Amino acid sequence: MPRLQAIDFCACSSVSFRNSFRSVLDLELPETLNLTRISFHKCISLPSSIYEKLFPHLGKVTHLDLAGTRVNDKALLSIPQTARITHLNLAKCREVTSEIVIKFVTSHPATANSLAFLSLSTDASSHLLLGKEDVDALLPNLPQTLRSLSLKGSRMDPSHLPMLKVLAERLEELAVGGGLDLSDIRRLFYKDREWQSHNLRYIDLSDIEAKVGSGDELLSPNTAPLHVIELQERTYEWAAKMRKNLERVGWTAKEFGARYWLVRLNADGTTVDNGARWWKLGAESWGMRKVPVAVAEVGGMYGSFMFGRRL
């Protein structure tokens, strides 16, 4: 155990798992655990007290996936300042507040100069973490190191576009929330009759009614390096009916599980993209929902959790 550096409890939620983990509360833990990469992705049965007990000992953590857990503000703020978190997934975490989340990701020493992947996604139909004012406070203060940002489920506004444009210069992945429309998104790429420079490879539009047809400016060669546009199911089905028209302008429709994309075609007709990045730990596709804890090929259960689920 002292040499254990990474562990993944993805989707562990049985009663026996919960009861076994509660024994942690009775342990005398070392001041700093050697764990650097840990995933509690969808561990829905663990109480907040587990995280409150464990997190003060994660002084070396770099990858932390808490999606769908009962982590709370107290636990989040107890992470030692010596940690250097590059990957943080707080998707669908209902027991944290926007105030503490914003404080943690913008000013805590564990994230302020290291964060590359950040998901604050929520299901807007059942929970709101970030309102307009929260997004106002968050966007200008995000770490310069950030490469992937998900604000899916947040309440956004066209007034956020100038800051999104700044972020698009360094982000490779961006998931926007509701409150925008397709004309707002186009302005990230084309404004005042000029194509805008950006670094985006992937944009998630599944929170907005985005009917992207073959004649849309988003599908222009001038939006490169944009490679993947994620859509909600209804608008995807509308676009997929015109697959031949999409292919004529260099795009195609793809789906996996409960997710739907338009993907740019290469000159040879394939959609293969050099999407491998150091912060993906072996994954090559864009828009991962789960933080990996080891460098490996993605497939099976992990493929489903990373790329087949809405959140």
Side-chain angles (χ1 to χ4, degrees):
M1 288 295 288
R3 290 186 290 180
L4 184 65
Q5 294 184 338
I7 193 164
D8 195 334
F9 296 111
C10 180
C12 293
S13 57
S14 67
V15 173
S16 59
F17 173 76
R18 181 193 62 201
N19 292 341
S20 297
F21 225 105
R22 276 180 169 163
S23 64
V24 170
L25 298 176
D26 300 322
L27 296 177
E28 188 67 34
L29 297 175
E31 182 177 351
T32 302
L33 294 168
N34 283 326
L35 280 171
T36 59
R37 302 183 298 277
I38 184 166
S39 172
F40 289 101
H41 191 95
K42 300 297 177 72
C43 291
I44 59 177
S45 65
L46 293 182
S48 301
S49 55
I50 292 292
Y51 305 109
E52 293 174 10
K53 169 74 174 183
L54 180 63
F55 282 11
H57 304 275
L58 297 181
K60 297 182 179 181
V61 70
T62 59
H63 295 59
L64 191 57
D65 192 330
L66 301 168
T69 67
R70 295 167 62 186
V71 66
N72 59 15
D73 290 347
K74 180 180 178 181
L76 200 60
L77 291 180
S78 72
I79 294 174
Q81 295 188 6
T82 56
R84 290 296 176 266
I85 299 176
T86 59
H87 295 64
L88 179 63
N89 190 354
L90 293 174
K92 299 184 76 172
C93 290
R94 292 171 170 265
E95 298 190 25
V96 291
T97 63
S98 60
E99 178 185 1
I100 295 303
V101 167
I102 293 170
K103 178 181 178 181
F104 184 75
V105 302
T106 61
S107 63
H108 194 286
T111 61
N113 297 302
S114 58
L115 205 57
F117 174 95
L118 174 63
S119 177
L120 302 178
S121 304
T122 59
D123 181 349
S125 66
S126 59
H127 177 62
L128 177 69
L129 175 64
L130 300 174
K132 177 187 177 298
E133 292 75 18
D134 299 315
V135 179
D136 287 342
L138 177 68
L139 291 181
N141 297 298
L142 287 166
Q144 293 292 316
T145 51
L146 201 61
R147 295 296 174 265
S148 177
L149 172 65
S150 178
L151 299 178
K152 183 175 169 62
S154 66
R155 190 168 292 158
M156 303 191 76
D157 183 85
S159 63
H160 295 137
L161 288 175
M163 198 61 237
L164 289 177
K165 180 66 183 72
V166 173
L167 289 170
E169 295 288 341
R170 65 176 186 270
L171 291 178
E172 293 191 278
E173 296 185 334
L174 174 64
V176 299
L180 303 176
D181 60 31
L182 194 53
S183 64
D184 296 320
I185 301 302
R186 293 188 188 109
R187 286 163 56 196
L188 291 176
F189 302 93
Y190 188 73
K191 183 180 179 183
D192 298 331
R193 298 186 179 182
E194 290 187 2
W195 293 101
Q196 306 293 298
S197 63
H198 68 91
N199 195 46
L200 292 173
R201 270 65 173 173
Y202 160 92
I203 189 165
D204 184 346
L205 307 181
S206 58
D207 267 8
I208 68 177
E209 191 76 22
K211 285 190 173 182
V212 181
S214 58
D216 199 286
E217 291 166 347
L218 288 181
L219 305 189
S220 166
N222 294 301
T223 60
L226 183 67
H227 192 77
V228 179
I229 301 171
E230 182 153 356
L231 303 174
Q232 58 182 243
E233 182 178 5
R234 183 169 55 184
T235 52
Y236 168 84
E237 289 176 346
W238 177 84
K241 290 177 181 177
M242 300 179 288
R243 187 182 299 269
K244 289 185 178 180
N245 290 338
L246 289 173
E247 291 176 351
R248 275 196 286 268
V249 296
W251 290 75
T252 191
K254 285 194 168 187
E255 61 182 281
F256 174 57
R259 298 180 67 186
Y260 310 91
W261 307 278
L262 299 183
V263 184
R264 193 186 296 270
L265 293 169
N266 299 320
D268 61 0
T270 67
T271 57
V272 176
D273 172 48
N274 183 20
R277 297 292 188 274
W278 69 266
W279 49 269
K280 292 187 182 182
L281 277 76
E284 295 187 0
S285 299
W286 297 101
M288 64 184 184
R289 300 294 198 219
K290 178 189 176 300
V291 173
V293 300
V295 178
E297 292 185 8
V298 178
M301 181 185 81
Y302 290 101
S304 174
F305 275 97
M306 288 181 73
F307 297 109
R309 302 187 178 212
R310 289 190 181 93
L311 281 181

